[in-house]
Amino acid sequence: MFTLRKLLLGFLCASPCLSVADAEITDDDLIRIFGEAAEYRRVFNEVQSTIRDDDREGFAALVHYPFTIYREKKTCCGSDAVDTIEDSEEFIEKFDEIVTPGVRAAIKNQDFNKLSLGWRGLGFDLGVLWIVGHCVSDDETDPCAETIVGVQTIHADAAANK
């Protein structure tokens, strides 16, 4: 059956994308898309546990900086960058503005096997939050020999509109 969830996943994900609404995400899926699996699973679990435990410092440590806050445009479509958070200290100061009750609920209720999985990363609740890997290697021939996996994007407005 074709559902709105599958339609939105198709819109949010460009090829390659795995719509796993009715399937288990395997390590092979994660390796095929991201090159490894364990770190993505670990970060997913940590994101959920830090929110459940209200561990703001722990959550802020999972975020990629600088972190840009986006809000939906009031006049039309899309979003505007409204603020850039430079470090975890500033993130913690603005935590409640960024990690709204809707975002917290989306994180707490997310089943790993219902994540959006594609080139953008691992998406919670159709894109409320995205976990991605950043290449950080100094090796110019293989800049992704080392990566850091963490939270790249939070769309508080998307969570509020559900």
Side-chain angles (χ1 to χ4, degrees):
M1 179 194 312
F2 194 73
T3 64
L4 179 59
R5 176 179 169 76
K6 289 179 183 177
L7 174 66
L8 287 172
L9 278 171
F11 177 74
L12 290 172
C13 296
S15 188
C17 185
L18 177 64
S19 176
V20 292
D22 301 316
E24 179 179 338
I25 296 176
T26 67
D27 285 352
D28 287 341
D29 297 328
L30 296 170
I31 291 167
R32 182 173 39 83
I33 294 174
F34 307 126
E36 69 96 24
E39 188 65 4
Y40 283 87
R41 287 184 184 276
R42 183 193 68 76
V43 171
F44 169 83
N45 289 327
E46 239 182 278
V47 164
Q48 283 193 321
S49 68
T50 57
I51 291 301
R52 285 189 182 119
D53 297 341
D54 196 30
D55 178 3
R56 295 165 183 234
E57 292 82 12
F59 187 89
L62 297 170
V63 173
H64 290 297
Y65 298 100
F67 182 84
T68 304
I69 299 173
Y70 294 92
R71 296 286 182 228
E72 288 184 22
K73 289 182 180 180
K74 300 295 182 202
T75 57
C76 182
C77 317
S79 57
D80 286 320
V82 295
D83 197 5
T84 300
I85 307 298
E86 296 298 329
D87 55 33
S88 61
E89 185 176 300
E90 186 179 1
F91 189 94
I92 293 165
E93 288 174 19
K94 298 180 178 180
F95 189 88
D96 290 324
E97 174 187 338
I98 302 165
V99 186
T100 63
V103 170
R104 287 184 194 130
I107 292 169
K108 288 178 184 177
N109 297 326
Q110 182 66 55
D111 180 315
F112 190 85
N113 290 315
K114 298 206 187 244
L115 288 164
S116 301
L117 176 61
W119 66 272
R120 292 180 188 223
L122 292 176
F124 284 64
D125 198 17
L126 296 175
V128 169
L129 180 143
W130 288 93
I131 295 173
V132 302
H134 281 272
C135 302
V136 295
S137 175
D138 291 333
D139 183 351
E140 291 180 18
T141 61
D142 188 6
C144 289
E146 182 184 351
T147 60
I148 296 175
V149 177
V151 175
Q152 173 67 43
T153 308
I154 297 173
H155 292 282
D157 290 340
N161 293 329
K162 292 184 182 250

